[in-house]
Structure formats: structure tokens, C-alpha cells
Amino acid sequence: MGEAFREIMRQARQHVPEWTPAKIHEALDRRSNGQDDFTLVDVREKIEWNEGYVPGAIHVPRGHLESQIEETVPDKSKKIVLYCAGGVRSLMAGETLQQMGYQDVVSMTGGFGQWKGNGFNFISPRTLTDAQSKRYSRHLLVPEVGEQGQLKLLDSKVLLIGAGGLGSPSALYLAAAGVGTLGIIDADVVEDSNLQRQIIHNTSRIGEYKAESARETINALNPDVTVKTYIERLDESNVKQLVEEYDVIIDGTDNFPTRYLLNDAALIANKPVVHGSVFRFEGQVTVFKPYDGPCYRCLYPEPPPPALAPSCAEAGVLGVLPGIIGLLQATEAIKLLLGIGDPIVGRMVTYDALAGEFNELRLFRDPNCEACGEHGHPENLTTYADVCAL
Ligand SMILES: [Zn+2]
């Protein structure tokens, strides 16, 4: 240790009070009982934090302290307790914070090393692998996602009803984003007329089950993603169990019976359904979040007469349109999984491709809804025959 460094340390000690790990341990106990209020900041590098940290600490590396602390602790009169590995960097950091106007800054003597030496508890954080840190680096750069958000996505499960026009782009982007488990239920095979918009499939897959084709594409894109395929139609025999198993459901179906079936099961399991639909040049998307916004039956208590329902196989659509709506659905799913932003609940976002316009309708819960209303019973409602399956 050089002379100049010793002098800097001596001066820092004159300005920044130091507490022992034992004293901070007691203060943390008081804080957890609501008898004390301060912010505990770990100023070490990420690689050190990953080895373990003091429970209740937040991580602001020394190199980012000046740029990030005001966002983390806006109130400069609030006490901040700093620690590093050995007590030197936190002391320096304490001086910096005082220069920035923080009035009550404390440094832990002996740092994390002494904390562990005292036998106090610490947390070993779960972290991304190096390969994952590279793959998701653009997520890690967004504070609203970050490493914890990415880990959350990797732990998440999304069920896609259909690997068609809406399910294809949704599944592809959810896989790229690192949603760890994707369930895909689809009983159909890939046909040449699908390829104008169902981009998860390709020409060599014609005749293959869509769910299997989607799995092949996703496996090639991201080995972090487990794809569960269900080569069946969603019906009363499987809907309950499937919905129960997933966190968010993306509805890419084009028929009314499935929507009612899914709606009721999602209400029972309390799972959000991200609903999308497209027709010619227009699309719409909304999130049915049980008991938060309206459900599908609040909006459509009865299915339309079969004569008014668009023919399932032959409704025309501009090929890019389901891409736009499907990606809005994927975006909503990720927001729900991360708990960020304002999901499209109680709103219907519509897109008119010809006009180049997005619009929004407000949607309201029906207090008398027979599914989600005060006296609603989602478990014993009428389901309908699938006109498209006939
Ligand atoms: Zn309802």
C-alpha cells in the first residue's frame, strides 16, 4: 500500500463512518421488523456479487455508482450502508456519495469477507450462463428486463393455441426471447396455403404436423426452449389440464367454440389469455386477465349464428397482418410474465393495415356476466360445437 493511498484512506475514514458486520446485521434485523430504514448497497463487481451477497442488499457496482445511485435512492437524506469485498472500495464509494449530496452514508468494515467470516447468512444468486448472457445481452441492457427478468422468462411457460398465422410469429419471437417452455397445441398439418403467413413452417414441412414443424424451427433457433407439442384439438377433455400447466395463454384460434372453452378454463385457473384475431386488412388484440378486465363472455355472451361466422378455412388475410397481431400478442405475453408495463386489459387495440392506423376501444366487465360476474359460474357453462371441425 503506497503512501498516497494510505492518506486517501485516512481522509475517507474521517468523513465516512464505519460499522462492523455485526452492527449491520442487527440493523438489518431491525429493518426487517420495520424499525429501521436504510438501503444496503453492494458496490462490488458483478462477478463478485454472483459468488454471494448480503441478504437484502441491492447491487450497484462501484463503476456505475455515480450514474445509477440517484435512480436507485432518490432521497439524499436516506441512510445508505455500503459494502464491498474488504471495506476499501465501499469507503471510497462513501466519499463519492457524500460529494453527490448524500447526507447519511456508512461503510461496512472488512466487507463481505468479514461478513462471511462472522458466519452470517448470504445469498448465492442464480445467474445466466456465459452463453445465455451473450444470447440475451440486448435484454440485459434493458433495466426492466435485466438478468432477473431473463431468468424469469426462462422459467416461464406459455401455451400457444394454434401454430398458424398468429401462433407462428408469436412462438418464434417468444422462443427467441428465451421463454423457457412453449406448449403448442395444433392438430393440423402444414399446407402450402399456410406458408404465405405461417412463418414458423417452410416448404419442406408440407404434410408435417404444425406443432412438430414449429418445434423443429424453435429447436434450431434456441436450445434454451423446451417445446411441448400437443397434436390434438383443444376440447373439454384437455383444456383444464393444459391451461393449469401454463402461465400465459396465447389464443391464435379462429373459432368461437374454442374461445368460450378457453375463456372458462382460464377463469377457473386464473390465467391470462392474450387474444388476437385477424381478417383481411384488420386485426385486433386484447388481454383477458381474469377478474381484472372483462372476459370473452362479457363481450360476447352468445356466439354468432353459424351463417355470420366467417368460414374458418377460407377467410382471406393479408399475409403480414397476423405477423403484426401475433407479435403484439407475444409482446403482451412477455409483459405479463415480467410484470412490466400496462397490459392491454380492458382495452381492444385494433390495427387497420390499409389506413395504417392503430385505434383503441375501451372494454368493460359485465357485472352480470355468467362466467366472471358476481354470480358467475365458469365451471358449468354451455360449450359449443366447433363448426370449423365439422
Ligand atoms: Zn365475463
Side-chain angles (χ1 to χ4, degrees):
M1 222 186 270
E3 193 55 46
F5 180 71
R6 263 197 290 270
E7 178 56 21
I8 290 174
M9 287 294 290
R10 196 185 59 78
Q11 288 193 11
R13 286 208 165 92
Q14 281 179 353
H15 303 145
V16 180
E18 289 180 292
W19 285 6
T20 61
K23 187 167 176 182
I24 290 169
H25 190 266
E26 283 169 26
L28 282 167
D29 276 347
R30 284 198 305 275
R31 187 177 79 166
S32 61
N33 295 330
Q35 294 161 337
D36 206 341
D37 188 23
F38 60 90
T39 306
L40 180 64
V41 179
D42 185 324
V43 298
R44 296 173 303 161
E45 299 303 314
K46 172 138 183 38
I47 191 164
E48 300 174 279
W49 166 270
N50 288 348
E51 298 291 309
Y53 61 88
V54 176
I58 58 165
H59 184 219
V60 185
R62 178 71 191 89
H64 298 284
L65 192 66
E66 290 90 335
S67 61
Q68 290 181 1
I69 193 70
E70 285 173 301
E71 209 173 305
T72 316
V73 189
D75 178 4
K76 291 189 173 165
S77 66
K78 192 175 179 193
K79 182 190 281 298
I80 297 180
V81 179
L82 301 163
Y83 75 89
C84 59
V88 173
R89 278 175 290 170
S90 58
L91 201 59
M92 300 295 160
E95 272 218 311
T96 304
L97 291 190
Q98 287 178 340
Q99 282 158 14
M100 291 178 73
Y102 286 91
Q103 293 153 21
D104 192 358
V105 185
V106 170
S107 169
M108 180 158 88
T109 47
F112 187 64
Q114 197 169 319
W115 176 273
K116 279 206 295 189
N118 284 14
F120 295 141
N121 259 354
F122 61 95
I123 292 172
S124 298
R126 197 178 135 221
T127 56
L128 296 172
T129 64
D130 287 349
Q132 289 171 329
S133 297
K134 287 200 189 95
R135 176 180 286 268
Y136 306 115
S137 66
R138 296 305 187 277
H139 270 168
L140 305 186
L141 291 167
V142 181
E144 286 80 357
V145 185
E147 185 168 30
Q148 290 314 304
Q150 189 63 55
L151 287 164
K152 213 186 258 182
L153 291 180
L154 287 164
D155 288 340
S156 296
K157 296 173 147 197
V158 173
L159 178 65
L160 295 121
I161 316 287
L166 296 167
S168 283
S170 276
L172 208 46
Y173 266 89
L174 291 173
V179 172
T181 304
L182 295 177
I184 298 175
I185 173 164
D186 199 312
D188 294 338
V189 295
V190 179
E191 294 176 24
D192 44 12
S193 66
N194 300 148
L195 300 177
Q196 163 253 25
R197 64 202 175 283
Q198 300 183 16
I199 56 158
I200 208 161
H201 313 300
N202 62 53
T203 309
S204 69
R205 309 264 175 77
I206 290 171
E208 246 181 75
Y209 282 113
K210 286 185 181 180
E212 293 298 344
S213 166
R215 170 157 65 186
E216 282 178 61
T217 305
I218 290 169
N219 285 348
L221 172 64
N222 190 348
D224 283 341
V225 181
T226 303
V227 180
K228 293 188 170 183
T229 57
Y230 308 91
I231 313 238
E232 52 198 287
R233 303 186 73 87
L234 194 74
D235 60 26
E236 278 149 339
S237 74
N238 56 20
V239 66
K240 233 174 152 172
Q241 200 189 339
L242 274 170
V243 166
E244 191 60 54
E245 194 180 325
Y246 291 85
D247 304 312
V248 174
I249 294 100
I250 292 194
D251 174 16
T253 54
D254 48 12
N255 66 82
F256 294 94
T258 308
R259 287 182 191 157
Y260 287 106
L261 196 66
L262 179 60
N263 181 71
D264 302 343
L267 283 170
I268 293 166
N270 199 12
K271 301 290 172 80
V273 175
V274 185
H275 168 93
S277 68
V278 289
F279 182 68
R280 295 187 180 166
F281 294 98
E282 286 169 39
Q284 54 187 40
V285 58
T286 187
V287 175
F288 295 118
K289 199 171 178 209
Y291 307 104
D292 194 3
C295 78
Y296 189 73
R297 286 188 194 263
C298 289
L299 310 185
Y300 308 101
E302 299 275 329
L308 288 182
S311 157
C312 306
E314 284 155 26
V317 65
L318 188 72
V320 296
L321 186 71
I324 293 164
I325 300 302
L327 292 191
L328 287 174
Q329 290 179 281
T331 308
E332 290 304 304
I334 286 177
K335 284 162 60 186
L336 289 165
L337 295 171
L338 293 177
I340 60 172
D342 296 316
I344 308 178
V345 173
R347 301 182 279 149
M348 176 82 79
V349 171
T350 63
Y351 174 62
D352 178 339
L354 281 184
E357 278 178 358
F358 282 96
N359 279 296
E360 192 174 300
L361 307 168
R362 291 218 64 89
L363 305 176
F364 298 96
R365 257 183 97 180
D366 175 2
N368 299 316
C369 172
E370 59 175 352
C372 78
E374 201 183 332
H375 305 290
H377 282 288
E379 55 286 329
N380 48 21
L381 292 175
T382 325
T383 51
Y384 304 94
D386 185 350
V387 285
C388 297
L390 298 176

